[in-house]
């Protein structure tokens, strides 16, 4: 899905709910200008921001990221999967691995941590989902709740997305991280 297609989906759902850009932006703690740029496909957005928008619009994150019909089995060949969404300014890009259901509470993705020589991100993220990560390739530091944790290939972590966090590259190779965003109903 292109940024433009994702933006159209967000705008159409917002309009169906008869809500203004300002209402959604305020609820997500983002600027109206940023929401407008997302809706028009003028900018890529962090998963954390998209997570806030999806929660406010009451749809799963995967619904925003992919345009596939509901199915019992979601088989996605690597060659047909969009390789990356995002840019170096976010500090990562990602691939959505499966859109099980708009009612599923799990969002599997592969996060590509931007190599150190290209990374410009210093601000942490927060979002409403818990997060499980498994480092597939490379090494990185997980900055979580004001502490740094070195993570190498094969390491895992599970944490609350509501706490400030960031994947920090430690070399010019970057890292690949299998990430499951898990919606927790409290």
């Amino acid at each position: 899905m292109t940024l433009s297609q994702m933006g159209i989906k967000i705008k159409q759902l917002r309009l169906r709910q008869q809500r203004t850009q300002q209402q959604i932006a305020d609820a997500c703690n983002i600027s109206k200008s940023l929401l407008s740029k997302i809706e028009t496909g003028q900018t890529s957005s962090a998963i954390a921001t998209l997570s806030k928008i999806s929660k406010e619009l009451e749809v799963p994150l995967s619904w925003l990221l992919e345009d596939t019909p509901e199915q019992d089995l979601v088989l996605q060949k690597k060659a047909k999967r969009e390789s990356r969404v995002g840019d170096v300014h976010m500090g990562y890009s990602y691939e959505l691995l499966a859109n099980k259901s708009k009612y599923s509470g799990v969002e599997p993705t592969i996060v590509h941590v931007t190599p150190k020589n290209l990374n410009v991100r210093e601000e942490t993220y927060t979002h409403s989902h818990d997060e499980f990560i498994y480092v597939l390739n490379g090494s990185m530091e997980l900055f979580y709740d004001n502490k740094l944790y070195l993570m190498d290939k094969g390491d895992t972590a599970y944490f609350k997305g509501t706490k400030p966090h960031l994947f920090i590259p430690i070399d010019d190779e970057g890292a690949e991280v299998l990430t499951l965003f898990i919606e927790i109903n409290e």
Side-chain angles (χ1 to χ4, degrees):
M1 170 173 294
T2 67
L3 294 176
S4 180
Q5 290 168 322
M6 182 173 43
I8 290 168
K9 285 179 78 170
I10 292 169
K11 182 176 182 178
Q12 287 175 342
L13 182 57
R14 177 181 59 77
L15 293 173
R16 267 186 264 149
Q17 293 179 5
Q18 298 180 346
R19 298 177 69 190
T20 67
Q21 283 183 335
Q22 191 66 60
Q23 289 171 322
I24 300 298
D26 289 348
C28 295
N29 201 27
I30 61 174
S31 70
K32 180 182 172 188
S33 172
L34 175 59
L35 180 58
S36 176
K37 287 178 181 177
I38 292 169
E39 285 188 354
T40 58
Q42 293 177 16
T43 187
S44 58
S45 184
I47 288 180
T49 302
L50 295 175
S51 175
K52 290 174 187 178
I53 293 169
S54 71
K55 183 174 183 180
E56 186 58 29
L57 294 174
E58 299 178 349
V59 293
L61 179 60
S62 62
W63 185 87
L64 292 182
L65 300 175
E66 194 164 277
D67 192 21
T68 58
E70 293 288 320
Q71 311 174 51
D72 288 341
L73 169 68
V74 177
L75 179 64
Q76 199 170 44
K77 295 286 193 179
K78 182 177 180 169
K80 297 202 177 206
R81 187 168 66 233
E82 272 194 55
S83 60
R84 295 188 182 189
V85 177
D87 62 34
V88 295
H89 302 294
M90 292 189 327
Y92 64 87
S93 58
Y94 55 93
E95 298 175 56
L96 183 63
L97 298 178
N99 179 11
K100 167 65 179 95
S101 165
K102 69 178 189 174
Y103 302 108
S104 173
V106 178
E107 312 285 342
T109 62
I110 293 179
V111 174
H112 301 272
V113 179
T114 302
K116 188 174 186 171
N117 62 335
L118 299 176
N119 189 42
V120 295
R121 181 84 187 183
E122 294 180 3
E123 305 143 36
T124 57
Y125 293 107
T126 61
H127 50 78
S128 61
H129 296 80
D130 278 9
E131 198 166 331
F132 170 80
I133 62 173
Y134 174 83
V135 181
L136 296 169
N137 290 303
S139 297
M140 64 167 208
E141 288 180 317
L142 169 63
F143 181 74
Y144 178 75
D145 202 21
N146 293 316
K147 293 181 185 163
L148 277 175
Y149 302 91
L150 178 63
M151 298 188 70
D152 295 312
K153 182 178 179 177
D155 292 347
T156 64
Y158 187 104
F159 55 90
K160 297 233 172 259
T162 54
K163 295 216 175 184
H165 62 279
L166 182 65
F167 296 171
I168 301 172
I170 61 171
D171 58 32
D172 292 343
E173 302 301 314
E176 286 185 332
V177 182
L178 173 65
T179 303
L180 299 177
F181 293 97
I182 304 160
E183 186 174 335
I184 304 298
N185 296 323
E186 296 180 29

